[in-house]
Amino acid sequence: MGRPEPGFRRFDGVLFDMDGTLLDTVADIAAAMNSVLVAEGLPELPTPHCCRLLGDGTAGLVTKALAWAGAAPRPMTDLIVRYRQRYACC
């Protein structure tokens, strides 16, 4: 590659936030979250409701899902790890 045209910059790469931006992944997110909730003996989160819990990252999602399910406060690290493992398989 040569020099960029005047007024243009050359980029070596571009990053995209695919989840919810370019791809509709709410069903996968809900399935992963529900696997964690069910393993904890909690009710499943309806997929449409999951959309309302998104936007604050994984920890935010797990915290909000537990609150929605009426769960008592508990350590989150293991739950976040399990969610991420399950989501990676979707």
Side-chain angles (χ1 to χ4, degrees):
M1 291 193 168
R3 300 176 109 179
E5 295 288 326
F8 291 92
R9 294 180 57 191
R10 183 175 169 271
F11 294 95
D12 292 326
V14 177
L15 299 175
F16 288 99
D17 178 8
M18 303 289 281
D19 291 337
T21 304
L22 297 177
L23 301 174
D24 182 6
T25 56
V26 71
D28 294 330
I29 292 168
M33 190 69 253
N34 283 332
S35 71
V36 173
L37 292 173
V38 168
E40 293 291 306
L42 299 168
E44 289 191 3
L45 177 68
T47 299
H49 186 74
C50 187
C51 290
R52 295 183 220 151
L53 307 184
L54 301 176
D56 293 321
T58 302
L61 170 63
V62 173
T63 300
K64 292 174 189 176
L66 290 173
W68 173 87
R74 60 189 74 194
M76 299 269 294
T77 304
D78 181 56
L79 301 175
I80 292 169
V81 168
R82 289 188 351 225
Y83 167 81
R84 288 179 175 159
Q85 288 171 339
R86 176 61 176 95
Y87 185 66
C89 296
C90 291

